[in-house]
Amino acid sequence: MVEKLGAEGFMKELCNGFRLLVDGDKGVITFESLKKNSALLGLQDMSDEEAICMLREGDLDGDGALNEMEFCTLMLRLSPELMNSSMKLLVEAIVNF
């Protein structure tokens, strides 16, 4: 995916995914916003337990919700292809810094 979109395009897509799931008032992905908006990403059959597990897996600061950084980190960790590509993305970001 990174190869197709490039580093900037890939990060933009992750940010778009976050915006689709975010609670507009709170600025984070909550259980409620995840359940409400998950169908937009083809995850309409996500159970409450799966949603809770996703939030727990990605919640690095313990607030019970996912901010944009936590969401992007989780998406990278959940996809082996993205995980392998993330090193290339990191190297590219460092080189361009």
Side-chain angles (χ1 to χ4, degrees):
M1 181 179 237
V2 175
E3 290 81 15
K4 287 182 186 177
L5 299 173
E8 189 174 323
F10 174 70
M11 293 305 295
K12 186 176 179 180
E13 283 304 306
L14 281 179
C15 292
N16 287 340
F18 176 79
R19 283 194 280 286
L20 285 174
L21 298 172
V22 73
D23 178 308
D25 294 330
K26 297 180 181 177
V28 293
I29 298 172
T30 62
F31 171 78
E32 293 79 13
S33 71
L34 181 59
K35 287 296 291 182
K36 177 182 171 187
N37 300 321
S38 60
L40 297 172
L41 297 176
L43 301 172
Q44 60 272 7
D45 296 329
M46 180 185 292
S47 70
D48 287 358
E49 186 175 316
E50 289 170 322
I52 291 168
C53 286
M54 181 178 171
L55 289 171
R56 284 185 184 150
E57 179 75 24
D59 183 16
L60 302 175
D61 62 11
D63 66 355
L66 300 179
N67 61 36
E68 191 170 25
M69 187 271 308
E70 290 170 327
F71 174 77
C72 291
T73 301
L74 179 63
M75 293 300 100
L76 287 172
R77 285 185 13 228
L78 290 179
S79 173
E81 177 188 325
L82 293 179
M83 191 63 172
N84 292 334
S85 298
S86 67
M87 283 306 292
K88 292 178 188 175
L89 181 64
L90 179 60
V91 169
E92 183 178 325
I94 291 170
V95 168
N96 292 324
F97 182 68

